[in-house]
Amino acid sequence: MLLKIDSITKAFPGVQAIKSGSLELRAGEIHALVGENGAGKSTLIKILTGVHQPDAGSVQVDNRELQFTSPIDAHKAGIVAIYQEFSLVPSLTIAANLFLGREKTAAGLINSSLERARAVEALTKLGSPLDPNKRVGDLSVSEQQVVEIARALLANARILIMDEPTAALAPREVRQLFDILRDLVKSGIGIIFVSHRLDEVLEIADRVTVMRDGVTIETRGKADVTRRKLIELMVGRSLEEEFPRGKVSHGDVRLEVKHLTGGPVNDISFTVRAGEILGIAGLMGAGRTELARLIFGADSQQSGEIWLDGRRAEISSPRSAIRNGICLLTEDRKRQGLVLCLSAKDNFALSNLRRWARMGLMNHRLESSRFDAHVSSLAIKISSPYQRAESLSGGNQQKLLVARWLETDSRVIIFDEPTRGIDVGAKYEMYLLIRKLAAQGKAIVLISSELPEILGMSDRVLVMKQGEIAGEIIDVSSATQEQIMAVAV
Amino acid sequence: MNNARYQSRLSHLITDYGMLIVLVLLCLLFSLLTLKDQTVSGERGAETVFESLNSGQSADGKILIVVGTTASDTEFGQTLFAKLGDAGREVSIEAGDPARLREQLSLIPFVDSVRTIVTTDVTLPVVKNLLGQSRATGAEVVTPPKRRWPTFLLAENLRNVANQITVIAIIAIGMTMVIITAGIDLSVGSLIALSAVSIAWVVGALGGAEISLMGVMAAVLAALVMAAATGAFSGLMITAFRIPPFIATLAMMQVAAGVAYIISQGKPIYRLPEGFVWLGRGTDPILNMPIAVILMFVLYFLAWVLMERTVLGRYIYAVGGNPEAARLAGIRVNTVLMFVYTLCGLLAGLGGIIMASQLKSGAPTYGLTYELYVIAAVVVGGTSLSGGEGKIIGTLIGAFIIGVIQNGMNLTNIETYTQKVVLGLVILAAVLFDRLKQKGLRRSIGFFRAIPRAKSEVTST
């Protein structure tokens, strides 16, 4: 047994992050760790990497019990974690990054030629012949990931922990990464693979361990598990359906986009009716988010027209889009949606303040009553209106933003990756909400990288490719993921 | 549980009112350090002295009052002189600085016949000298009564503190808003000079000391517009051309300082009318508070309303907290930024006018390194340089902390060089406190609280 974690517990002020954590990793195995946000995955990883110390329980590497007092100890034991946020220095070269902190020196000076040679060696081993003199900042995300893995190998890592490694990768790059990982484990390395993407987990992992509420519920072999079973284990109850049903009759055309061009988006036209959910699928970089930003006025358009309820709308900024009843729920809630240091109520009020205000003075009473109304109708869980947006869960942050846009009286709602980073349980609630909004007659544009989500929620699907619409799927109920991918690639 | 609640309250108290507590402690400290016998002069002192002079043995004979030039001395002398005169006593008064008094007194012929000499502490040595010269040997020397009271807490000193920080505190209003938007404005110090020089120059051009009220108004307006326009220009560079605020305002700092030198040709401009000092040196008739200090409090009230009660205020916080999210929420981010930089420039211009009024002149050296004091006041007041957070009242407290420290060190005879060291350390401490507040304090207090509970859970599982 390469690694054995036995009955670990860990408490933080106010939360028992891990109640009972156990996991066994064999040499040459890819072991997936799944669970909802807050299930204790990241705490478990941080204990493994020596960032946190467990309150009880043991960690054994090669059947020897080890106690890590710092990340350096874990590193020495051959445990290396690669996080979503890479720990590379963009302004330095690949070679310099690979040997950062462990520079090859001769007489106190850096031996660059030796470093370069070793770098080439390590990169070739990973099947990725990158030039070690290139600046890391100039590399693509997947190339940077390879550099991270190479760095781990050069540090003699035997246990590699990968936290959401595919989150920022295109499907082709995911394939490449998986090939690299499969190759790696052949040499006896063990990989712990943490991911929210269950399809990928099922593809790459030899075994899967599910965590829920700080407890490692079960470890199953690849053969004994399905997507549905995994979700049930993660949520802790049996799921009726992943996506709520409910067709509504569609009204007149609400949103009409004519020949919209700008940035990577090239001459896109489509319509969405009142009550309709239009799914937009496509690979990363196909221009879906850019399309959404163009419609919302966040980026400036070169040409094209946007019509709302049969009238042309002049949209030059988010401000004018909002005034016209268009809203955008951005894919990155923390950077582009919320002002994290402000309260939940302030975030809700932001786009509505001016309308409520009298002579520039805020109307606190109206603000509070509108906020309370939305909190109860959308079932937003907050401890107080003054709770900082930062401390809300992903699902509640998303609902808070939905509340804001409902208050501005939006007629067109664009969701960009609405369930990214949201728990499986909360996802269902989000889907229900989207359905409800459609039933109220809103025109909904749903952008998502999760094909099951696109297929499960949309009334009609557009597939984008290289800034253009590559295909349309009208009969969604009989469409398959492969069908979409065939158009998208 | 009770203990936990008490601790959380304590941490709230420290984080929310920490700076106020520091200010109060500083005041207490300097009060204790400057505790000494104070002469009760002024009107009350005169009253007491009058009582004692009008009763007892010394109830006849000539009286000479010798006082210095301070406000309380003058008040004391005038009041006593009037009272004794009313009581029908033969009384004369001499006022002036010690050197002049010595000369004057030696020239007065009737000194020998004086029975009683009333003098304050300031002029006591002069009087003693007079007695030593064996003039007026028979005279009885009377001084006002004394009481134990901290020099720091004397009304005159407190007024001094307020007066010293007015300019810094007023500009710090604008700076607080700029820093809340995650920006910085380094040009305010130079804008003080530019504004002071401009107003002095315009007044000079419009007739100098004989200028009309309208003329003064025009000059004030010109200086304010000039400063606000400079601020707006910085804002334009920052919003339209995405130049980092640090660089844009650093450039404007140089430009404004240069223009101030050009206008004044490097020399102070003195031709300001008598009435012009009203703003800087005048006081209101009721509380005797300097007009500029009252203006400062009024501005702070308005700024508080702006930040806490208006839509614009909320936008300022939002833009600082996350400009992209703010823009996507429909806020005109650039307009908000233009506003704060223009306002900051405008207030720096006002600061320059106040300083010109206090000093009755305009010179290109005014406000040198003031930007650092202003930023210090904002930071000490708890506004985070990373933007999105901060309170306008905190800045006022921060300005007072800096003022009190400087004043207190002056009173306790700590030299200027040491003062700089202390001030630097105070700024550092304030920022450390801010970090602690954000990252550690609540957690660390919570941390100690959580250990027993965590252990009990460990044993139970």
Side-chain angles (χ1 to χ4, degrees), chain A residues 14 16 55 293 296 298 318-319 322 334-338 346 351 353 357 360-362 367 388 404-405, chain B residues 308-311 314-315 317-318 321-322 324-325 327-332 388-389 450 453-454 457-458:
Chain A
Q16 183 75 32
D55 297 329
R293 287 176 62 91
F296 187 58
R319 201 178 149 74
I322 293 165
K334 290 187 176 172
R335 284 204 206 127
Q336 301 173 345
L338 297 162
D346 288 346
S351 305
L353 283 171
L361 288 176
M362 292 190 285
E367 186 179 330
R388 280 157 69 106
R404 176 204 285 173
W405 297 129
Chain B
E308 299 295 324
R309 291 281 176 269
T310 70
V311 175
R314 184 72 61 79
Y315 283 3
Y317 281 108
N322 187 343
E324 179 65 3
R327 189 173 82 94
L328 294 180
I331 295 174
R332 281 187 288 210
E389 286 170 283
R453 195 176 54 190
E457 275 181 18
V458 170

